[in-house]
Structures are given as C-alpha cells and as structure tokens.
Amino acid sequence: MRPRCIERYLQRRAAAKSKPVSGLESPKEHNAFFVDLSDRESEALLLILFINATREGPSATMVNAWRRGDVETLNRILWESFQDFPSLARRLIDMRNQNWLPKIDAYLLSGQRYFVVVGAGHMGGPNGLLALLKARRCKIEQL
C-alpha cells in the first residue's frame, strides 16, 4: 500500500468511528521545510523524488522490513537515498521529529488515548521518534 492510500484508509476509519483527526504539523509548518532550501538542496530533492517516482514501487527489502517492523533497515534505506545530501534528510526527517516531540509529549501527558501515525522513515535511527521517545523514558512496545 502506498503512503497516501494508507493515510486515506486511516482517515476513513477515523471518520467512520467519529474520531477526530489532526496533524503533528500544520500544512503551513510542513511546507515551511521546503522554503529556504538552497539551490543544491532543491535540486537534490527533485532528483530524489524523480528517481523514486520512476521506480515501480518499494523494493522487496523495504517491504519486508516494513512487514517485520524493522525500523533500522527502513532507516538505512531512507538515509541511503539521501546519502549525497545528508543535510536535506536532517531537515526533512530529523528536524521534523524534534518539532513533533512537544505535541507527542502533550498527548502522552493528557491521560487520553491517541493513535499517532507517521511515515516509517521517521521511526528508526538515533534521531528517530522511537529513540527520542526512549530518551524521554517512554516505554516502547512493538505490536
């Protein structure tokens, strides 16, 4: 399933159960990460997007890692796609993870139940959400 398909599926399920849906960032905040890119970063992003768009779909390695919940392999694949432009990955992944933490912290402290959905690329690695939450002494349990 493609990310947008998953997103639409989850939104339909939430609507069917009258559950509110919001984002970890507003559209304006999301778009801000594309503003002020250097010329080199803008070109790199276009190249990465075009190269990925020409592929038939995710690799078997990526699909198998996703099915196993192997966030470290997914993280490695993500960072390999940005290997020539690590500053772009830091901007699009790591910085956003840091920006989301206060909202996730508020969810955790609210006493209510939340279902938080992010792309798999945001989960693994030393700056991934799982590591950041573990550093905050959150108990992480893979289901």
Side-chain angles (χ1 to χ4, degrees), residues 38 40-41 79 82 84-92 95:
S38 70
R40 181 177 159 97
E41 289 173 326
W79 280 87
F82 286 97
D84 294 327
F85 305 96
S87 65
L88 188 57
R90 284 191 296 275
R91 181 182 183 124
L92 296 175
M95 286 176 57

Side-chain angles (χ1 to χ4, degrees), residues 42-127:
S42 296
E43 290 174 15
L45 181 59
L46 282 174
L47 285 172
I48 291 166
L49 293 173
F50 285 138
I51 289 167
N52 288 334
T54 61
R55 294 186 179 140
E56 290 295 316
S59 70
T61 303
M62 185 182 288
V63 171
N64 289 333
W66 182 81
R67 284 185 176 145
R68 290 189 317 272
D70 183 352
V71 295
E72 295 311 321
T73 296
L74 290 168
N75 183 65
R76 180 182 48 75
I77 292 168
L78 171 76
W79 280 87
E80 284 172 359
S81 70
F82 286 97
Q83 69 186 357
D84 294 327
F85 305 96
S87 65
L88 188 57
R90 284 191 296 275
R91 181 182 183 124
L92 296 175
I93 303 296
D94 295 348
M95 286 176 57
R96 290 171 68 210
N97 288 350
Q98 286 291 333
N99 289 347
W100 294 344
L101 280 178
K103 194 169 224 180
I104 294 170
D105 281 339
Y107 293 158
L108 293 169
L109 295 171
S110 74
Q112 296 179 5
R113 189 175 296 184
Y114 287 85
F115 183 69
V116 178
V117 179
V118 299
H122 290 279
M123 302 301 273
N127 298 312

